[in-house]
Amino acid sequence: MKRRTLLATAAAGFGLSLGGGALAAGMDHVKACFVYVGPIGDGGWTYQHDQGRLAVIEKFGDKVDATTYQESVPEGADAERVLTQMALSGSNIIFTTSFGYMDATNAVAAKFPDVKFEHATGFKRDSANVSTYNARFYEGRAVEGLIAGRMTKSNKIGYIGSFPIPEVIMGINSYYVNARKVNPNAELTVVWAYTWFDPAKEADAAKAMIEQGVDVIASHTDSTAPLAEAAKTNGAVIGFGQASDMAVPEYMPTPRVTSIIDNWGPYYVERVGALLDGSYQQADIWAGIKGGEVLIGEITEAVPAEVKAEAEALRDAIGAGSYHPFTGPLKKQDGSDWLAEGETPDDGTLLGMDFYVEGIKGDIPK
């Protein structure tokens, strides 16, 4: 998949694959709207997208109206209704910020060809006015996995999955592969919460892992509930901030020892800016540590200095392109060959990932 930078302002590293023609002329004013799967106070995924919205307001001032957003929109018919209302309200660009909005986004976009639609983490671009954007979360999972493998005392590490889609499976595999590289005795427990944001379910998942002896927990859900459960163990269990830094005093220096931060602001600023200056084109982006879309939060003093240095070196190697979190030899869970010695997967393989790597126990839900 070819990816290149759209504008000079994208030199921060957002890879963009472009299609269609640019607008003939810019706009004097842009109305940008945002659809969120959770509340902006979730402390994680939606909070971080809303920080991106606020970055747009700060950057462009009265050239942009980015005050319209709707929280906790269910993925399904409700999303299509909300999107239709936003399009009818005079929106120029609408950002839909969850995988489950994909079909609704494309359905409404077909009815409003003059409105630009930007869908996070999806892959369908059925109309010329639909773009997609994503982050290489699996790169951050590799750093978490290294820390988990080094710091576990029980050799039992855990991962709370939201839904069994490639994005999440990718993260589980990266976490496990890179934990095992530094600790071949590490065993992984996966608990599926079947939610993006439900603090009670997330807490139950963390609690179940802790009862099984897991002492390092990563998650692909949106609340701080897993960290709250870990905090009850008086330092026996550590975890990671997810989507946002989650660097709040009650969780530092432990259980939150570092975090994966989704940095959406530069992308939102660039896309709205492209509407204003007339350079907007349909795009498909997938950026990561190199581009600054995936950040690793502060590694606290709860992590030994040598492990911190190792984790930062891994982060830097991924960013420089000298290391890929999936580097062979690697096999699939069923023992079949996947990657040969030194081989790395292409993006298409990653984006269609529907299998566990060798060593992970349990089945992926269908």
Side-chain angles (χ1 to χ4, degrees):
M1 184 181 297
K2 294 182 179 178
R3 300 188 181 275
R4 63 183 179 84
T5 302
L6 176 60
L7 299 172
T9 55
F14 286 96
L16 286 153
S17 177
L18 305 174
L23 296 177
M27 303 173 67
D28 295 328
H29 185 271
V30 168
K31 181 174 182 179
C33 297
F34 297 77
V35 181
Y36 299 144
V37 72
I40 59 175
D42 66 0
W45 176 264
T46 294
Y47 169 82
Q48 206 63 24
H49 279 283
D50 199 59
Q51 292 300 297
R53 179 185 67 84
L54 295 175
V56 170
I57 294 172
E58 181 177 2
K59 173 67 176 180
F60 297 112
D62 59 9
K63 291 183 179 180
V64 168
D65 176 3
T67 60
T68 299
Y69 63 88
Q70 189 152 337
E71 305 169 270
S72 303
V73 177
E75 297 170 317
D78 282 350
E80 192 163 336
R81 175 184 54 79
V82 169
L83 288 169
T84 299
Q85 291 174 344
M86 286 181 171
L88 290 171
S89 74
S91 300
N92 302 113
I93 187 167
I94 302 173
F95 295 92
T96 60
T97 63
S98 187
F99 180 83
Y101 295 147
M102 183 161 57
D103 289 340
T105 299
N106 281 275
V108 177
K111 301 173 184 176
F112 296 92
D114 294 332
V115 179
K116 306 304 180 187
F117 291 80
E118 299 263 348
H119 178 229
T121 74
F123 55 86
K124 290 184 180 179
R125 294 173 298 281
D126 294 345
S127 303
N129 58 329
V130 178
S131 293
T132 49
Y133 60 105
N134 202 349
R136 295 180 184 268
F137 307 117
Y138 69 89
E139 294 182 344
R141 301 299 179 194
V143 178
E144 288 184 343
L146 183 150
I147 293 172
R150 288 296 191 204
M151 292 193 66
T152 178
K153 295 179 174 63
S154 66
N155 287 327
K156 295 181 178 181
I157 63 176
Y159 200 107
I160 301 172
S162 46
F163 295 97
I165 60 174
E167 172 193 320
V168 180
I169 297 167
M170 221 184 301
I172 293 169
N173 283 334
S174 179
Y175 179 69
Y176 177 72
V177 164
N178 289 277
R180 285 292 293 265
K181 283 190 175 182
V182 298
N183 180 357
N185 296 316
E187 298 179 357
L188 178 65
T189 297
V190 179
V191 175
W192 293 96
Y194 298 103
T195 183
W196 294 115
F197 177 78
D198 187 325
K201 289 183 178 179
E202 295 171 61
D204 286 344
K207 193 179 305 180
M209 288 183 182
I210 293 169
E211 290 173 352
Q212 296 174 50
V214 168
D215 61 0
V216 186
I217 298 175
S219 64
H220 201 131
T221 51
D222 298 349
S223 84
T224 58
L227 287 177
E229 286 302 312
K232 296 176 183 178
T233 67
N234 296 316
V237 178
I238 63 171
F240 306 96
Q242 159 59 19
S244 73
D245 205 9
M246 297 186 179
V248 294
E250 58 263 40
Y251 299 143
M252 291 180 67
T254 184
R256 176 231 168 266
V257 294
T258 189
S259 58
I260 295 177
I261 304 170
D262 306 339
N263 184 29
W264 302 111
Y267 180 75
Y268 288 161
V269 166
E270 180 183 344
R271 298 302 275 163
V272 172
L275 273 183
L276 286 166
D277 68 21
S279 63
Y280 187 95
Q281 294 185 35
Q282 185 182 37
D284 169 38
I285 80 103
W286 198 22
I289 289 176
K290 178 181 179 180
E293 188 173 74
V294 176
L295 305 175
I296 303 299
E298 175 195 355
I299 301 175
T300 72
E301 62 266 31
V303 178
E306 63 274 16
V307 177
K308 177 179 179 179
E310 193 176 4
E312 290 176 339
L314 179 62
R315 174 201 64 196
D316 294 345
I318 293 171
S322 60
Y323 176 76
H324 193 291
F326 295 110
T327 301
L330 287 173
K331 294 180 180 289
K332 295 183 179 181
Q333 186 187 49
D334 62 8
S336 62
D337 291 334
W338 179 33
L339 299 173
E341 178 75 35
E343 185 181 7
T344 59
D346 60 25
D347 284 353
T349 299
L350 291 176
L351 290 167
M353 187 173 283
D354 60 356
F355 60 87
Y356 283 149
V357 294
E358 185 179 43
I360 298 180
K361 298 177 181 178
D363 298 324
I364 297 173
K366 301 299 182 184

